[in-house]
Amino acid sequence: MSIKNVLQMSVVEKDVENIYRQSFLNLIEDAHIISPCGSDGVLKGNNVYTLLEAKYNKDLKNKLEQTNIIVQCLYYLKKFLEEGVELPTSCFIGDMNECFVIETKHLITYLNRTDIDWNKAPSQAHKSNANLLTDIIEDNNIDPFIYIIDDNFKVEDVVNKLQDIHLGNTSKIKITDKNMAVVFDYFVTHVLGKNKLTTNEQVNLFIQLLIKPDENYIHPKKK
């Protein structure tokens, strides 16, 4: 049975958490999980050290929903610092329908903020941190690729991503006919952003980047 089918059988958040936990433990050599500071867990194994955060039936494609959970992870990282727990190199956020990974290094600067009440419960922290939410939403370094949990999803791809982050390697997504629509949507939302192009122009640019990468480059002044 695929992980998609298993996840769809979940009825509570704990089910989702256990499914991802077991999947990681099966795939990663010498893997084990501990749960410091009341977190869903910290996964350690061969070239993997990540904070785990499971959710039930959230829309992780929604930027605000993403950020609410990232703030929760940020609060756990702050607790780790205070308790002397080594900070993970990444955070994994997984739901029934989507999941994503972020690099801890992009969250470090937020841990030094003095305008935040760090005594809030991590799961409730997003409710009283409007400025923090806005700052993270507008942070260009925090813009994760969303893995869609469909019939083509493989936990191995996430594990590779976690290992690349831990080793400091650049992780790439291989574009195939099965995931091209997802990658194109990511390109339009996160790369083009507010650039006003017609649908045809968006598609043409996307294809040009794929087939003629040497003839296209990042603008030297515009993001």
Side-chain angles (χ1 to χ4, degrees):
M1 185 179 294
S2 69
I3 187 170
K4 171 199 168 185
N5 292 334
V6 176
L7 284 168
Q8 289 302 314
M9 295 169 62
S10 301
V11 293
V12 293
E13 185 176 291
K14 197 67 177 178
D15 293 339
V16 177
E17 177 187 327
N18 289 334
I19 291 167
Y20 279 117
R21 276 179 169 234
Q22 194 57 56
S23 297
F24 287 136
L25 291 173
N26 290 342
L27 287 170
I28 301 171
E29 185 179 352
D30 298 326
H32 64 280
I33 297 173
I34 58 175
S35 299
C37 304
S39 65
D40 281 353
V42 173
L43 170 68
K44 275 191 171 186
N46 182 36
N47 294 324
V48 171
Y49 185 32
T50 190
L51 171 65
L52 304 176
E53 182 58 43
K55 293 298 175 186
Y56 178 76
N57 209 24
K58 301 289 186 181
D59 183 7
L60 300 188
K61 298 186 299 298
N62 180 278
K63 188 65 176 180
L64 180 58
E65 196 75 79
Q66 290 176 27
T67 308
N68 289 342
I69 304 170
I70 290 172
V71 167
Q72 182 177 356
C73 292
L74 188 65
Y75 266 66
Y76 280 126
L77 295 176
K78 184 67 173 182
K79 287 180 177 292
F80 291 175
L81 276 180
E82 294 173 345
E83 296 294 329
V85 178
E86 181 184 1
L87 291 184
T89 54
S90 60
C91 301
F92 168 82
I93 292 87
D95 186 69
M96 299 163 57
N97 304 305
E98 307 95 13
C99 65
F100 66 90
V101 175
I102 54 176
E103 298 184 58
T104 303
K105 69 180 184 181
H106 296 315
L107 302 177
I108 296 295
T109 56
Y110 294 97
L111 296 176
N112 298 321
R113 298 251 308 237
T114 57
D115 61 329
I116 297 173
D117 181 1
W118 293 107
N119 294 316
K120 300 283 186 181
S123 61
Q124 303 299 312
H126 65 281
K127 296 180 180 180
S128 56
N129 278 295
N131 290 338
L132 178 60
L133 286 170
T134 300
D135 290 344
I136 292 177
I137 287 173
E138 295 178 351
D139 191 332
N140 291 327
N141 291 315
I142 303 176
D143 200 7
F145 178 84
I146 307 300
Y147 295 89
I148 306 300
I149 313 298
D150 57 17
D151 292 329
N152 300 309
F153 173 73
K154 295 180 181 179
V155 183
E156 289 90 337
D157 293 338
V158 176
V159 171
N160 290 337
K161 175 74 171 179
L162 295 173
Q163 291 177 329
D164 283 339
I165 290 174
H166 191 75
L167 295 171
N169 297 331
T170 300
S171 182
K172 297 181 180 180
I173 302 295
K174 183 178 181 180
I175 300 176
T176 68
D177 58 339
K178 294 178 180 179
N179 71 3
M180 186 173 292
V182 174
V183 177
F184 176 71
D185 288 342
Y186 183 89
F187 170 74
V188 171
T189 303
H190 300 290
V191 179
L192 296 182
K194 297 180 180 180
N195 285 283
K196 295 181 180 179
L197 299 178
T198 66
T199 301
N200 283 339
E201 289 172 336
Q202 292 173 352
V203 173
N204 288 334
L205 178 58
F206 181 69
I207 293 174
Q208 286 298 314
L209 290 170
L210 295 182
I211 64 177
K212 297 181 179 179
D214 294 337
E215 296 181 17
N216 296 272
Y217 51 87
I218 299 173
H219 194 283
K221 295 181 178 179
K222 298 180 181 179
K223 290 184 179 180

